[in-house]
Amino acid sequence: MMQKMISKEKISDLIKELQKEFKVFGPVKEEGVVLFKEITDAKEICLDYSNSKIPAKSVLFPMIDTLFSYKKEGKGVKIIENPPYEKTVIFGIRPCDSMVFSLFKNFFSFGKYKDPLVLNRLKNITIIGMGCLEPRTTCFCTSVNGGPFNKESVDVLITEFKDNYYLESITDKGEALIKKIKSLTDADKGDLAKIEKLQKDIESAIPVIEGLDGIYTKLDGLFDHPMWKMESQGCIGCGSCTYLCPTCHCFDVLDENKQDGSGRRIRIWDTCQFPLFTLETSGHNPRTTKLPRVRQRIFHKFNYYPKNYNIIGCVGCGRCIINCPVSSDIRNIFISVENISSKTEG
Amino acid sequence: MTDKSKEKSTEEWKPKIIAFLCNWCSYAGADLAGVSRIQYPPNIRVVRVPCTGRINPFFIIKSLAYGWDGILVSGCHPGDCHYISGNYIARRRFAILRDLMTFLGIEPERLNFTWVSAAEGERFAKIVRKTVENVKSVGPNKIFNKKW
Amino acid sequence: MVINIIDDIEKSIRETAKKLLEEKKVDLIIGYTKGSIPLRSGPCFITDASQTGMLVWNQSCDLNLAKYLAKNDDRKIGIISKGCVGRAIVHLIVEKQLNKENITIIGISCEGVLNRAKIMVEIGDKEIIEANIEDNKIIIKGKDFNKTLPLQDYINQLCITCHYKIPPISDIIIGNKKPEKPPKDDFKDLNEIESKSSNDKMEYFKKELNRCIRCYACREACPMCYCSLCFIDQNKPVWFGKTADISDNFIFHMIRAFHVAGRCVSCGACSSVCPMGIDLNFITRKLEKIVKERFDFESGINLEAPPPMGTHKFDDKQEFMIEED
Amino acid sequence: MKSEDEPIRIGVFVCHCGTNIGGVLDCEGLTEYAATLPNVVFSDHNLYTCAEIGLKTIKEAIEEHNLNRVIVCSCTPRTHEPLFRSACEEAGLNKYLFSFVNIREQCSWVHMKKPEDAFEKAKDLIKMGVARATKLEALETIVVDVDPSALVIGGGISGMNAASNLSKQGFKTYLVEKEKNLGGLLNSLYRLFPNDQESSELLKDIESRIQADKNITVYTSTMITSIDGFVGNFEVEINQNGNSIRIKVGAIIVAVGATPLKPINLFGYDGKIRITQFELENVLKNYSLNANNIVMIQCVGTRNEERMYCSNFCCMSALKNALIIKEKNPDVHIAILFRDMHTPGIAYEEYYRRARESGIIFIKYSPEKPPIVEENKIKIYNEYLGTEIIIPYELLVLSTPLIANEDNKQIAQLLKVPLEENNFFLEAHVKLRPNDFATDGVYIAGSAKWPVDITESISQGYAAAARASTILSHDTLEVEGATSYLPEEYKDLCRGCEICLKLCPYKAIRKNEKDEIEIIQVLCKGCGVCGASCPKKAIKIKHFTNEQILSEIYALGGKELP
């Protein structure tokens, strides 16, 4: 573990240094909305933010992702592979959002099929996370095995303290990176203890949601429970909860053709909340109403994920609560689940 | 520079315009222009439809999305529709579509709607000239080009 | 004092709902309830008179509850209806999507709802811990900031120009103040955009629509978007692209707007629900203007008037058509 | 018939049309170009493709190359399409699998001075044509049986003549009259212009013919209660004194006539000494007239804001009646106050001349200064004298118009035909189809569509009968295959908003018992308004399908012109 620091003013020097070797993605404010984008100008970076509107999964799993391109040649078709993925740093990501990277690693390499695109990107990405000094009231990361300064899924963790950023390397990859950066100085040892306390204070201030403990087994018996009718009746069936969820990763594959005979195969975000998602070629649709779709979202994250990968498919960022057009709150579902299961136990 | 190459270099860009003509009036008007040997610019490509009422507004947007530089829609004059009221219904549809597209920043010069009867060969040629002029004034259509 | 009136309305809503349920005049009340974060509200579905305390009414009630009415629903439903909810119901009846007999319209006079996106931009997308509306001011408290905003500046533009504060038809009307009729709609709010060049207009809308993530919240919140399969999802033929590329976004929003032309009831729900804060109200306003000026039509006002796209007049304006020179 | 699933094999035939095309375009070059296009397996060029030899080439190529799409690149489909279609049919190819590319009217003739551009354009047109041909579908024409019988609604002079004429042509005819007697307004008239025939004489003649006609069934005191079905096959329910009767007919003629306006509150109308022109006819029948001063006022209750129209025959009625009175008693003073005298044609103008000669006074008034009717005199501003004059009267006759029957709306709804603004029936086209409705198999005659005199009523009765016989004279009707319909697979898309139903000019769309939209193929003309207006895009327009039109848009989109 290596601990370094840099004054806030010099942060753009650090970015510039990183840019020499890496493509750097970081939070950028556009039209009042914070997004993760490639930093072209070091001044663009916006570190005074609670969390980005669209999670940083968009770096690893873009909204439009070209799988390959093609061009008609004579009677055949020539496949054109994507250019090699450049070495990338994701800078300033919140520890909750970075949890997604290990989750994606599991998902995109599950079973026989490995997704070369995502796995290759993962290999080439270094994550510089940024501790969360001001968790929102909608955050519940500590209830899903995370925390505002969670180190599990970052290579480097930055904590803001007074006028400085403190950088702590977590992985070897992170340490190697820090070592190279000249604009960093050694950390002020006196502050480190204070930082640790600050981190603990912030973490313990986040309320713990009781129902989440062991939700996976609790859900097992609730597939046909009437609670889903209640929970789904207000849902309008849009995709905002899933598109803005750091862990959702469903996609649709389609071809885009140009008139000149060239084209590309892309994947775009898709969501289980749309009726078309499950429409089969035969015309049959196993999820025709809102109810099974709302239930699917919860089961996928809190039952299937734990079963398949031993991970909860939720990082507690609260985006779905903030952005739901009908103000449906996932925490209420946890409470319902808890109430029902404690009743049946009792 | 020889005269010929000079001529070629000053030769303007030739817009490509899709023309939806109703079978009964405007297509016949175009036929009459042909029979009368009236010359007009070779920029339009005709799609014959039974009636302007058949023109789904999607066709117009789709044409722009597919890179046609301009649109010409022509039907029977009010009151002359072979299908009684098809052109009136089309007129409402196009009025809204054109207002909306113009509001969103698509140059109205690309969207040309008119009436030409079967007896108006001369008018058809003039309308085509005018349409070509309109489209030329706003340049090639790159509105819906994708980045890749 | 805006706040008092709204309080009273809330109380009457609860009492009315309770009475309707107790007297078994309705099986279900659809109304608004408090959202889990400030300045948010959600729908609530009440079947038990004891739950009517959940019902609220305030300036964050931006959804159009008509969305929750369905063609084949046989239940007797009481619905809390501000003007635009009522208009949506009327237009849905005109389009044969609802059976009026099953619906009890509980009309309430509405003073307009908040434009939350505008507030969020104003406070830099910070978290709001508490928000109150008093004396025509919005008082917002965050973790490390307090902000007071003038209410009038943050009311949705559509509400400012709204001519139908109460539903055109109601079974019950709640509200102790006769809503003032706003001045004749001159659509001045559109002047700025309309006077721009085509290029600048396109730049403006592309910048807005570029943020669209194609979650379709706008579509799903719209009471008029009731197609079983949206044109964008149809694949025989594939009409337009589904990607979030700006060209596809632009076309999607353009056609969606065209689709609701003459049907849109100007509730602004599409804008209110957008997670990316895209302002679609300009488009809504423009649609209003087009059908008003061209066809002298306002949707959802009259059960007998045919929708403008379902009829025509011999003397409809045709000034947009080209003529030979 | 070619199978649907076999691979598409297109044959392209480029026509030189002598020098019409060949003189401008390189037809061989176009033929070669066509061969490079997808799905084209054969291409050829002829001097005249429409000549016997050209048609033979097509037929042979269909056989030899197993073509399942044929494209002819030549002139306008508006003239030659039927010819090539039948050539295809003769070779066993469904006629809807033929497609036309117009490189003469749209290319060689209009771009003669720019042959290079014309050549490129012709290539584009062929490319679009091939793209469209690929998406063409074989269609069946629909054949329906025709019931050789007709229903005439209204037993007035127009309806009776229509019925009699249809019967003479051998069609079983049902004549339905809501009153107790046949004859309509003829019953209340005395003599008829232009030859002063007695109305009762005319009525007796035709009525006896109709009553004697075994082919005509007359139902008096009968109302229409429902009409179902479509051209050739209408099912009508009528009600005679409470008894419901069902009849089946192939065509319907609307001859319901119109109603004289009672001028309540106009010019002191009282039905006694201030009566209408129609009431005068009744008085004249028994000639119980003892007035020495008679004034007639024209345009009463018409040509005003409420009723913009001219009732057409009232000037003639006034002249005729005035002359009848003058004939009986030349000493009677008659003044006709008019706005414009309307006496068109030789015979009618003759009446006017005779009226003037017989001493009838004509005074023009303007709508701004209408006559003022007092107890026994009338004040009228004489425009020519520039002063007000006073005319005494013992009898005041008001010429009122015919107005639409009150039950027109009801009948229009049953028939799904339109009314105009004054609630008269609206024909399909005032000049092109004056006795038709837009709805096939329904026709119109007489004052139901506009106030007309007896002569005109009779002619229109014949005209409508002739129009109806164009349907009834066939055992079956063949209907165009290119219609619109709601395909089974799109049924889920339809939400029943009824926009299509409202817009269909032919009322071919209805909601069936299952509350589903249904397009009656026989009534549909394939205009496509419904499909293009359908917000859900659920309706398919055959032969101009979305796919076919889009294929043309795609074929050439996205590329710069050469």
Side-chain angles (χ1 to χ4, degrees), chain C residues 226-280:
Chain C
Y226 58 75
C227 291
S228 7
L229 189 63
C230 178
F231 71 92
I232 203 73
D233 290 332
Q234 292 184 9
N235 58 3
K236 275 196 294 179
V238 173
W239 289 108
F240 299 101
K242 294 176 76 168
T243 79
D245 184 276
I246 178 61
S247 65
D248 287 343
N249 284 351
F250 193 92
I251 290 177
F252 168 71
H253 287 283
M254 178 160 68
I255 298 189
R256 205 189 81 79
F258 179 79
H259 251 178
V260 294
R263 310 170 59 233
C264 171
V265 292
S266 307
C267 64
C270 49
S271 242
S272 300
V273 298
C274 179
M276 303 306 287
I278 299 170
D279 188 0
L280 295 169

Side-chain angles (χ1 to χ4, degrees), chain C residues 85-278:
Chain C
V85 175
R87 284 180 68 183
I89 294 170
V90 169
H91 198 84
L92 288 169
I93 294 170
V94 169
E95 291 190 3
K96 315 281 172 197
Q97 301 304 308
L98 293 178
N99 181 1
K100 171 71 189 78
E101 277 166 30
N102 290 338
I103 300 164
T104 304
I105 300 175
I106 306 162
I108 35 181
S109 64
C110 170
E111 299 285 325
V113 296
L114 292 173
N115 185 338
R116 201 179 44 248
K118 199 173 169 187
I119 296 173
M120 294 316 283
V121 170
E122 183 59 39
I123 60 170
D125 205 26
K126 293 234 162 99
E127 188 183 18
I128 300 171
I129 307 284
E130 203 187 315
N132 283 307
I133 296 168
E134 286 168 18
D135 292 337
N136 286 320
K137 287 187 190 82
I138 314 165
I139 300 156
I140 291 168
K141 283 186 193 131
K143 267 198 185 128
D144 53 358
F145 71 97
N146 284 308
K147 195 135 197 169
T148 304
L149 303 170
L151 177 64
Q152 208 50 37
D153 293 356
Y154 291 87
I155 294 283
N156 209 340
Q157 176 63 35
L158 296 177
C159 303
I160 295 168
T161 50
C162 171
H163 279 60
Y164 301 94
K165 310 278 185 197
I166 54 167
I169 52 168
S170 310
D171 298 291
I172 299 162
I173 292 184
I174 298 174
N176 51 8
K177 185 181 159 193
K178 202 167 177 233
E180 286 166 36
K181 204 167 170 61
K184 192 176 171 289
D185 199 350
D186 52 12
F187 297 98
K188 262 194 183 139
D189 46 308
L190 294 175
N191 286 358
E192 197 192 322
I193 294 194
E194 281 177 341
S195 59
K196 287 183 183 183
S197 71
S198 288
N199 207 21
D200 291 351
K201 284 183 207 167
M202 169 102 22
E203 284 307 307
Y204 170 79
F205 285 108
K206 279 194 168 171
K207 205 169 79 187
E208 277 290 307
L209 300 173
N210 198 24
R211 295 207 294 283
C212 174
I213 55 171
R214 301 300 277 266
C215 71
Y216 301 124
C218 48
R219 174 182 84 188
E220 301 301 337
C222 175
M224 292 306 144
C225 279
Y226 58 75
C227 291
S228 7
L229 189 63
C230 178
F231 71 92
I232 203 73
D233 290 332
Q234 292 184 9
N235 58 3
K236 275 196 294 179
V238 173
W239 289 108
F240 299 101
K242 294 176 76 168
T243 79
D245 184 276
I246 178 61
S247 65
D248 287 343
N249 284 351
F250 193 92
I251 290 177
F252 168 71
H253 287 283
M254 178 160 68
I255 298 189
R256 205 189 81 79
F258 179 79
H259 251 178
V260 294
R263 310 170 59 233
C264 171
V265 292
S266 307
C267 64
C270 49
S271 242
S272 300
V273 298
C274 179
M276 303 306 287
I278 299 170

Side-chain angles (χ1 to χ4, degrees), chain B residues 73-85:
Chain B
V73 173
S74 183
C76 307
H77 283 279
D80 292 349
C81 179
H82 180 82
Y83 300 105
I84 305 163
S85 53

Side-chain angles (χ1 to χ4, degrees), chain A residues 256 258-259 263-264, chain B residues 66-67 146-148:
Chain A
E256 286 193 327
K258 277 189 184 172
Q259 293 293 308
R264 59 174 186 170
Chain B
Y66 265 73
K146 285 198 178 181
K147 279 176 212 127
W148 61 287

